[in-house]
Amino acid sequence: MCSGTLECAYDVVVAGAGPAGSVLSRLLALQGAKVLMVDAAPFPRRKPCGESLNPGAVQTLSRLYDGRQADEWLHEASIPHSVLNGWQLNSAAVGSSRMTTLAASYGDNRYGIGCKRELLDGWLIEQAYRAGVVFEEKTRLERLIWEKGRLIGVEVRRLGDGQRPQMVRTQMVAGADGIRSAVARSADLSRFGKLRKAALTARLNGIDGLSGKVELYVSGDRVIGLAPIGGGLANMTVALRGLKAMEGAATGKAAYLMSEARQWEALKERFHHAEIEGDVLACGPFERIVRSTALEGMVLVGDAAGYYDPMTGQGIYRALRSAELAAPALMEALQTGSHRALQWYNRQRLTEFSGSLRLQKLIEQASRYERLWRAGLQVIGASEALTNRLAAAISDSRPVHR
Ligand SMILES: Cc1cc2nc3c(=O)[nH]c(=O)nc-3n(C[C@H](O)[C@H](O)[C@H](O)COP(=O)(O)OP(=O)(O)OC[C@H]3O[C@@H](n4cnc5c(N)ncnc54)[C@H](O)[C@@H]3O)c2cc1C
């Protein structure tokens, strides 16, 4: 018997209780593994995010949670949310009011969901807990501990009570600890990329004309994302290229966000009664390059496995799907003692995500060249087939036949 949760030995320690960590922990516990999930934050915690789940994320949640529609269980759990039926991409040259618009519906019974991340993440943690996962909040993973080249445990520190770091014994570790993953750093697997972007994100009430679509407004080095998240609120996220721009925005964040929105003729009227609720969160830079997502005794999932840019809103899908792929690989590695299943996870994740990652990079880079960008939007917008293909590619989903 162990005297406290951190004194026990585990099959798997999962660092991070975002969507990737909670889903992975629950899947492992359902297969009989003894799992400890630790998170450095006190919960519920906000996460800088556009708070829009794309159709692929919604379908993955439905597959993982008893085949039920995600909007049904969100309703049952009294989590306010909005159903998203597509997106609208608006672009204008700096200082110009002429806008080019490309709109797409997800179609084929596909839909996305907008909701507060702390409520979604809290629900996912609860499901992990119900499956038998031991969860410790305010507990940070500091580093991995190796002995003779073999992983034997992790060093964790409980935050806020002045306690010294302590060792937790485990056979495997999963890093689900986000962009700045301590697990990836400790294994010397990650580095920052060249993309220097930062973002401010807030929730607003009183915005008129929200249509059930994710709206994007692209101009120069800024992108505004706007999406309904239920309960009469919308999430507004402004991503800025160049960290210098961020320094300017960081003072008076709320006023900055409002002035960014009101620069768009199409938003001025709609923001007439808009008010920010709660804090404005700042984050960045985002790009994180990871050499490998699996080593002997260790995997990386979600943002910890690498991240590029939030513009296309695919991060939550990748967090959920990578956890779904990693779970059977970790179980096989636990049962056989062989590293092969973890290598399979590394390859499979790459195979599944590399096409959409390439597209994401193309979109980010094309958006730097104003004329080319708007000409591209016009060409795609003139063809229903091209618009639908783009919509399908960034929705990470399949048609649903009911
Ligand atoms: C500005 C912005 C907007 C975005 N908008 C969208 C969007 O609209 N749609 C979408 O799909 N994606 C969006 N994303 C991406 C999305 O937020 C992430 O991809 C998603 O949250 C990844 O989930 P995760 O579980 O991997 O990590 P996270 O949700 O980041 O969770 C990681 C957890 O690890 C914990 N942690 C960190 N370090 C440690 C440690 N050392 N020890 C223990 N715990 C630790 C943190 O407290 C956190 O709870 C956006 C991202 C940004 C930055």
Side-chain angles (χ1 to χ4, degrees):
M1 276 294 283
C2 35
S3 55
T5 52
L6 300 185
E7 280 72 33
C8 294
Y10 291 89
D11 294 324
V12 186
V13 170
V14 177
S22 290
V23 164
L24 176 61
S25 298
R26 171 177 171 272
L27 290 174
L28 294 170
L30 289 176
Q31 293 291 309
K34 191 173 173 192
V35 183
L36 169 69
M37 177 166 75
V38 296
D39 198 294
F43 278 74
R45 60 103 179 88
R46 276 184 69 187
K47 153 84 177 76
C49 183
E51 304 185 296
S52 308
L53 281 74
N54 71 3
V58 172
Q59 289 180 356
T60 308
L61 282 174
S62 166
R63 190 165 62 240
L64 291 172
Y65 295 89
D66 307 327
R68 295 179 58 214
Q69 292 293 316
D71 59 331
E72 272 174 36
W73 55 252
L74 285 168
H75 188 71
E76 267 171 38
S78 303
I79 297 180
H81 60 279
S82 293
V83 170
L84 306 171
N85 55 45
W87 46 257
Q88 189 194 62
L89 181 52
N90 306 287
S91 183
V94 179
S96 160
S97 57
R98 257 192 60 207
M99 207 161 73
T100 308
T101 296
L102 175 65
S105 293
Y106 295 131
D108 297 319
N109 291 320
R110 289 180 276 207
Y111 65 95
I113 282 178
C115 69
K116 288 184 174 177
R117 273 294 300 272
E118 66 271 30
L119 299 183
L120 173 71
D121 291 10
W123 188 86
L124 294 173
I125 291 172
E126 192 184 318
Q127 305 314 305
Y129 179 77
R130 286 190 186 173
V133 172
V134 177
F135 174 47
E136 292 287 348
E137 60 178 336
K138 294 183 254 176
T139 304
R140 188 170 63 211
L141 184 143
E142 304 270 1
R143 65 181 183 95
L144 307 175
I145 301 174
W146 308 85
E147 196 176 82
K148 296 182 186 146
R150 207 170 64 86
L151 186 107
I152 56 159
V154 293
E155 189 177 277
V156 300
R157 186 196 289 267
R158 278 195 207 274
L159 302 175
D161 56 8
Q163 285 206 14
R164 288 158 49 147
Q166 70 187 96
M167 176 178 168
V168 178
R169 290 201 166 266
T170 183
Q171 296 193 56
M172 305 269 165
V173 176
D177 47 348
I179 293 179
R180 284 163 190 76
S181 169
V183 175
R185 257 185 293 126
S186 180
D188 197 18
L189 289 175
S190 63
R191 62 181 167 86
F192 278 111
K194 287 196 182 118
L195 185 69
R196 308 309 271 173
K197 262 189 170 177
L200 294 176
T201 177
R203 288 161 183 164
L204 293 92
N205 62 39
I207 299 179
D208 290 329
L210 292 169
S211 61
K213 280 196 166 37
V214 177
E215 298 170 52
L216 292 172
Y217 295 83
V218 184
S219 181
D221 54 5
R222 285 154 168 67
V223 180
I224 298 177
L226 199 61
I229 55 167
L233 291 176
N235 176 296
M236 176 175 167
T237 297
V238 180
L240 310 154
R241 205 176 281 128
L243 299 183
K244 276 244 155 21
M246 186 67 182
E247 281 165 26
T251 50
K253 290 184 276 197
Y256 176 85
L257 274 186
M258 287 306 213
S259 72
E260 277 294 315
R262 287 178 178 141
Q263 278 179 27
W264 287 83
E265 213 45 59
L267 291 179
K268 247 184 207 158
E269 276 294 306
R270 293 174 57 196
F271 269 64
H272 203 63
H273 303 290
E275 279 177 341
I276 291 180
E277 269 191 21
D279 293 334
V280 178
L281 307 181
C283 61
F286 313 124
E287 189 184 11
R288 200 76 179 165
I289 297 169
V290 167
R291 206 153 35 85
S292 168
T293 59
L295 286 182
E296 198 153 345
M298 194 215 83
V299 294
L300 300 170
V301 289
D303 286 2
Y307 192 75
Y308 183 61
D309 181 51
M311 186 154 146
T312 55
Q314 296 171 280
I316 300 172
Y317 165 73
R318 289 187 190 143
L320 299 170
R321 179 64 185 144
S322 60
E324 188 182 22
L325 290 172
L330 280 165
M331 284 312 296
E332 193 180 322
L334 278 173
Q335 281 152 9
T336 61
S338 155
H339 178 46
R340 281 178 52 185
L342 303 185
Q343 288 170 327
W344 170 85
Y345 162 73
N346 185 44
R347 284 194 306 273
Q348 186 62 22
R349 191 191 156 280
L350 268 181
T351 307
E352 287 200 17
F353 296 167
S354 57
S356 72
L357 254 172
R358 275 198 298 274
L359 179 63
Q360 201 183 9
K361 287 188 175 168
L362 186 72
I363 291 173
E364 203 289 321
Q365 278 155 23
S367 73
R368 292 159 186 249
Y369 303 97
E370 288 194 349
R371 280 198 183 162
L372 172 77
W373 171 246
R374 280 201 310 286
L377 293 188
Q378 275 160 358
V379 170
I380 295 171
S383 153
E384 201 182 325
L386 276 180
T387 306
N388 289 344
R389 276 187 71 177
L390 180 64
I394 62 178
S395 76
D396 295 310
S397 63
R398 294 174 205 292
V400 179
H401 303 292
R402 285 192 184 150

